[in-house]
Amino acid sequence: MNPHVLPHILAILILPVTVLVVVPGWILVTFAARDSRWMPGSALPSLFQGFGVLIFVAGFMIFAWCIVLFARIGRGTLAPWDPTRRLVVVGPYRHVRNPMISGVVAMLGGEALLSGSLLIAGWLALFLLINHVYFLISEEPGLARRFGESYDEYRAAVPRWIPRLRPWPGGSGD
């Protein structure tokens, strides 16, 4: 195995797998009797489940794209203990500063729709809140220290969570 791939695999196993598999699985098993579920016999659950699959797949594609960009351009991983060495401002990062988290949020939303679980939807909200606080307290100040003026310019032009419609022209091509 390529030694450069191992840190990415470990970071993915520790962070997104915990958020997307371990915690939702624990919620579904532990709170099965108290959680909501889709009621069989109606077309509405199938519609929501189909929408959940689409949202999950879209989130996964964004997440995977970001992982590739972090490895190829940023020369680092998604993990705070092995961050990127270069500022990544291409691809989805030209529209929003945190597309990887947006991808994970979309996947959690897809899981909530697939299962009909209000508790997984609650986990999604808590996950977003935790990340918002983390980005304000640690991630963004750390990026400002590491990348200086280039990050300050990027942060001023690209929103944290709600994507801009047109890509930021300051980012170089994909």
Side-chain angles (χ1 to χ4, degrees), residues 77-95:
T77 72
L78 62 89
W81 59 85
D82 185 20
T84 59
R85 283 131 188 92
R86 293 179 55 203
L87 183 62
V88 178
V89 293
V90 299
Y93 289 91
R94 294 177 69 197
H95 295 271

Side-chain angles (χ1 to χ4, degrees), residues 14 17 24 27 40 53 55 67 79 91 95 99 102-103 129-130 138 149 155 169:
I14 292 169
V17 168
I27 287 170
V53 168
I55 291 172
I67 294 290
H95 295 271
S102 299
L129 176 65
I130 289 167
S138 180
E149 249 182 72
R155 181 173 47 187

Side-chain angles (χ1 to χ4, degrees), residues 72-160:
R72 289 190 180 158
I73 295 171
R75 304 287 184 227
T77 72
L78 62 89
W81 59 85
D82 185 20
T84 59
R85 283 131 188 92
R86 293 179 55 203
L87 183 62
V88 178
V89 293
V90 299
Y93 289 91
R94 294 177 69 197
H95 295 271
V96 66
R97 291 199 311 260
N98 302 300
M100 190 179 304
I101 298 299
S102 299
V104 172
V105 165
M107 287 188 278
L108 277 173
E111 288 180 353
L113 287 171
L114 277 166
S115 65
S117 171
L118 288 176
L119 291 178
I120 291 179
W123 166 234
L124 181 161
L126 180 60
F127 173 76
L128 191 55
L129 176 65
I130 289 167
N131 275 279
H132 183 71
V133 170
Y134 171 75
F135 276 84
L136 290 175
I137 292 172
S138 180
E139 180 80 7
E140 290 180 357
L143 289 167
R145 281 190 301 277
R146 286 188 1 244
F147 301 115
E149 249 182 72
S150 59
Y151 180 71
D152 292 337
E153 178 186 354
Y154 173 69
R155 181 173 47 187
V158 178
R160 181 181 294 122

Side-chain angles (χ1 to χ4, degrees), residues 19 34 52 70 77 81 112 122:
V19 169
R34 294 184 293 259
F70 268 32
T77 72
W81 59 85

Side-chain angles (χ1 to χ4, degrees), residues 7-47:
H8 293 282
I9 292 172
L10 289 174
I12 290 167
L13 287 174
I14 292 169
L15 297 170
V17 168
T18 299
V19 169
L20 293 165
V21 177
V22 175
V23 173
W26 174 77
I27 287 170
L28 290 174
V29 170
T30 305
F31 300 102
R34 294 184 293 259
D35 195 9
S36 60
R37 293 291 187 277
W38 294 120
M39 300 302 287
S42 169
L44 195 57
S46 296
L47 180 67

